[in-house]
Amino acid sequence: GKANPSVNAELNANVNASFKRNITIGSSRDDVKALQVWLNTHGYTVAVSGAGSAGHETDYFGPATKAAIITLQKENGISPAIGYFGPLTRAHVASH
């Protein structure tokens, strides 16, 4: 569900990360952490507490990140809404 942006999540974001590659289950790198921060700060909660939650983002793309991506995709008419962070979803994130 939607959540309020977290100041901690924004402070922990890697400002040098870019979303130039497709990301899916099992991916890991700084851009995954930046993606989780973006999701958490834009109302697509990765996790309510623990790993992936605001301020505790990780560099691993697991089921919670996939679920947050699916929510983003469904709410923004990105099809197919399967939790794959590919060109259409990257374009949406880049424009927001």
Side-chain angles (χ1 to χ4, degrees):
K2 296 277 182 177
N4 292 327
S6 165
V7 173
N8 286 335
E10 290 184 31
L11 291 175
N12 289 323
N14 179 350
V15 296
N16 296 317
S18 61
F19 302 119
K20 294 183 178 180
R21 69 176 180 130
N22 298 332
I23 308 173
T24 190
I25 288 284
S27 296
S28 63
R29 242 172 38 195
D30 284 348
D31 57 352
V32 175
K33 183 173 183 175
L35 175 58
Q36 288 182 2
V37 170
W38 189 94
L39 291 164
N40 283 332
T41 59
H42 286 81
Y44 304 100
T45 304
V46 175
V48 176
S49 63
S53 65
H56 300 281
E57 291 86 355
T58 72
D59 66 356
Y60 180 73
F61 190 124
T65 306
K66 179 179 178 176
I69 294 286
I70 289 171
T71 300
L72 176 149
Q73 291 169 331
K74 286 180 178 178
E75 289 184 8
N76 293 283
I78 300 169
S79 181
I82 58 172
Y84 177 71
F85 191 68
L88 295 176
T89 309
R90 286 196 334 261
H92 173 82
V93 167
S95 69
H96 291 83

